[in-house]
Amino acid sequence: MMKRLGNRDRPVHVKDDCFKSFHFLKLYLEVALSPKLFYNKREVKQKKTILILGAGFCGIAAALELDKNIDHESYRIVVVNKRNVHIFRPNLYELATAFNERITKACLLELRESVAIPLHQIFKGTKVKCLIDTILAIDPKTKTVTLTKNEPITGEILIMAMGSAVNYYGITGLKANSLTMKSLSDSLKISCDLDNLLLKLWESKTVRDVELVIGGGGATGVELACELPGYINKLCCKYNYPRDRVHITVVEGSDRLISQGGKVVELVKESFKKYTIRLMLRTRITKATATTISLRHPDGTEELLRHDLLIWTGGVRAHPVIENSFEQRAPNGSLPVSQFLELQNLPDIYAGGDSAQIINQTTGAPLPWLAQLAQAHGSYIARRILAKIEGKTTKPYKPKFKGVLVPLGGSEAIYMKDETVIKGRLIHTLRSLVDLLYSLHILPIIPALHRWWRAQRVFSRND
């Protein structure tokens, strides 16, 4: 029989609080707050319109660069986005593993604010206008965008920066029986579901093996796997549950981790061993149910693995609106672009970030979808548009890869660039500074410092 926590009859977490608070936040996220920046149709008709579809890394960079240099008497910049916030997605894994003694509306909102930056803060002092709505369809020929709540809007120039969606690769039952980590609410649901899982076991006084499975060994899967042990330690203490009965398994279809082989794989394996994480390489998930996943191993053998929680981080593809609106697409649904990030045979339509397939002219392979590159795409597209307006030429886009930083739990991280691979505490600190630099790039100094410090304080509770 499990012991109770001190003299209390129950943990301070209350089941109803968890679900009421989570659904409160989900509703809060779904309802767009009245933005301080508004879209005026009458003004737009008097000027040429540059439509930026999406407020991710690419869209924000393009809007800010255009605002600094464009003739605002002739052009209007309109950002169309589903939410009135910009989500700093590299830190979503922190929300999925965020521990709170009691899950309340206040703590969920605090977590939200650590990664969600209001658009009115980003565009304060600029002439960028925001249209908060859901995009239903795009007509490339007329450059008309169909929206859910507003009338269709047409622009003279379009920038496709809509991000990506989860790719389930047609695996039977995977979408219905797994959690993902693509949005803020996705990440908070992982945290709440894990808490509720151990709460139910505590209430029923049941002790058994708890199986947590992560499908996908890319950057998202690895950083989540390495951060989960700290969260689980706190949950087990909270519910007085045996820590050695909670297991984490990472299933990866290739023989690589974080899209790398060799030394990177060995260093990640070291971290997995430290946290007692089971790793299955070259193993594919072929089917998923509410309680099991079917696996196919390298030798062709099949295995049925039980799970209490399945988190899918195994792949992404272009936004479905893009796939349904454009005829010429890459296999992952993205838009093939020229060396000037412009669509072939569709002048004045540009694509960047996860919306674009950009070929590395040196290697001949598509560029990876990374936040740092998406930001660079947005800046380049803006400069290209400005140059065309002024009748000037520009050099073709050339990627500048700064390397990848991936947290490995606690205060460790790994840095990778070409043949350079470094792991340690200093890299984790560097990752934090990179977050600060990004905040300073899109926000005034004081709000940027405040946001960064608040996020660091929230995330430090996870370590």
Side-chain angles (χ1 to χ4, degrees):
M1 182 177 293
M2 296 167 58
K3 298 179 181 179
R4 298 188 181 275
L5 297 178
N7 296 321
R8 294 179 291 185
D9 292 331
R10 316 171 41 88
V12 294
H13 169 99
V14 180
K15 177 182 177 182
D16 290 341
D17 283 353
C18 175
F19 288 99
K20 287 180 180 178
S21 297
F22 174 72
H23 290 299
F24 165 82
L25 182 62
K26 187 176 181 181
L27 179 63
Y28 182 74
L29 291 170
E30 289 174 351
V31 178
L33 303 179
S34 299
K36 295 183 179 179
L37 304 167
F38 60 91
Y39 167 75
N40 189 316
K41 296 178 185 176
R42 183 175 300 175
E43 290 180 356
V44 170
K45 291 179 181 179
Q46 299 172 354
K47 302 178 180 181
K48 291 183 178 180
T49 301
I50 301 176
L51 283 180
I52 302 174
L53 307 186
F57 290 97
C58 179
I60 293 294
L64 291 175
E65 185 75 21
L66 284 168
D67 179 76
K68 291 178 184 177
N69 301 288
I70 205 163
D71 176 11
H72 290 282
E73 296 300 319
S74 303
Y75 290 88
R76 178 167 299 278
I77 306 163
V78 179
V79 175
V80 184
N81 197 56
K82 185 176 182 179
R83 313 286 187 201
N84 71 329
V85 293
H86 166 61
I87 303 297
F88 189 73
R89 298 187 188 280
N91 282 343
L92 285 179
Y93 78 98
E94 293 276 14
L95 269 65
T97 57
F99 175 80
N100 283 282
E101 189 68 24
R102 181 183 179 91
I103 299 179
T104 63
K105 296 179 180 69
C107 77
L108 290 176
L109 288 175
E110 182 184 41
L111 291 171
R112 174 190 185 274
E113 292 171 358
S114 66
V115 298
I117 309 170
L119 295 182
H120 72 79
Q121 284 189 10
I122 297 174
F123 296 130
K124 184 177 181 181
T126 73
K127 294 186 178 181
V128 177
K129 302 301 177 182
C130 296
L131 182 55
I132 308 303
D133 207 338
T134 300
I135 299 171
L136 295 178
I138 303 162
D139 185 339
K141 294 181 180 179
T142 62
K143 298 184 180 69
T144 299
V145 179
T146 304
L147 305 169
T148 301
K149 296 178 290 186
N150 292 273
E151 295 178 2
I153 179 173
T154 300
E156 282 69 32
I157 300 173
L158 263 60
I159 300 177
M160 312 304 303
M162 296 181 65
S164 57
V166 178
N167 191 350
Y168 295 100
Y169 297 101
I171 298 173
T172 304
L174 185 58
K175 183 176 181 179
N177 296 293
S178 66
L179 300 179
T180 60
M181 210 168 65
K182 278 295 291 178
S183 70
L184 194 153
S185 56
D186 288 342
S187 300
L188 290 174
K189 184 165 175 32
I190 292 173
S191 177
C192 287
D193 282 8
L194 277 171
D195 195 303
N196 190 60
L197 173 61
L198 289 184
L199 169 64
K200 287 182 176 179
L201 292 172
W202 183 87
E203 288 179 328
S204 63
K205 298 180 175 58
T206 302
V207 176
R208 61 171 177 79
D209 287 331
V210 175
E211 301 293 343
L212 310 177
V213 179
I214 298 173
T220 302
V222 167
E223 62 192 9
L224 175 63
C226 290
E227 197 71 18
L228 271 175
Y231 180 48
I232 293 170
N233 290 344
K234 294 181 176 68
L235 287 180
C236 287
C237 181
K238 178 178 178 178
Y239 295 113
N240 198 25
Y241 200 84
R243 176 61 182 89
D244 59 355
R245 301 301 295 271
V246 182
H247 313 288
I248 303 171
T249 300
V250 174
V251 180
E252 166 57 35
S254 71
D255 58 356
R256 300 160 73 85
L257 291 171
I258 323 180
S259 301
Q260 303 290 322
K263 185 177 179 181
V264 172
V265 173
E266 295 307 314
L267 290 176
V268 173
K269 282 183 176 180
E270 287 179 7
S271 294
F272 279 12
K273 183 177 181 181
K274 172 183 175 182
Y275 296 123
T276 63
I277 298 171
R278 182 188 180 192
L279 174 63
M280 304 173 74
L281 292 175
R282 299 175 62 201
T283 301
R284 297 186 178 276
I285 298 174
T286 57
K287 182 180 178 180
T289 70
T291 57
T292 63
I293 55 173
S294 300
L295 302 176
R296 180 176 294 121
H297 293 289
D299 59 3
T301 59
E302 304 278 345
E303 178 185 356
L304 194 64
L305 182 67
R306 186 181 69 81
H307 72 83
D308 292 280
L309 200 65
L310 172 60
I311 304 169
W312 177 249
T313 65
V316 292
R317 62 183 299 111
H319 196 285
V321 170
I322 288 180
E323 294 198 58
N324 295 331
S325 300
F326 292 84
E327 293 182 1
Q328 187 176 1
R329 302 186 307 275
N332 61 4
S334 61
L335 301 172
V337 295
S338 70
Q339 56 185 341
F340 299 103
L341 306 193
E342 195 168 3
L343 272 63
Q344 302 285 358
N345 304 318
L346 290 171
D348 295 323
I349 300 183
Y350 299 83
D354 296 357
S355 296
Q357 184 195 59
I358 304 172
I359 302 299
N360 187 326
Q361 298 301 314
T362 302
T363 65
L367 290 175
W369 287 349
L370 300 173
Q372 60 175 286
L373 292 181
Q375 187 180 355
H377 300 163
S379 296
Y380 176 86
I381 290 170
R383 294 193 299 271
R384 172 68 177 173
I385 291 171
L386 291 166
K388 287 185 70 175
I389 290 173
E390 297 172 1
K392 299 178 180 179
T393 59
T394 52
K395 294 181 179 180
Y397 170 73
K398 185 176 181 180
K400 294 181 180 179
F401 186 61
K402 300 175 182 177
V404 176
L405 289 162
V406 178
L408 295 177
S411 57
E412 281 195 332
I414 187 170
Y415 171 78
M416 299 156 288
K417 183 182 179 182
D418 300 327
E419 299 301 318
T420 302
V421 180
I422 306 173
K423 175 184 174 183
R425 293 176 178 269
L426 181 61
I427 305 303
H428 190 276
T429 303
L430 181 60
R431 164 64 193 271
S432 177
L433 293 177
V434 169
D435 293 356
L436 174 59
L437 289 175
Y438 181 70
S439 293
L440 290 169
H441 177 72
I442 64 172
L443 293 171
I445 294 177
I446 300 303
L449 291 172
H450 177 69
R451 179 205 160 271
W452 176 79
W453 176 253
R454 183 174 56 193
Q456 296 306 306
R457 184 185 62 188
V458 171
F459 300 155
S460 65
R461 296 201 295 259
N462 297 351
D463 299 330

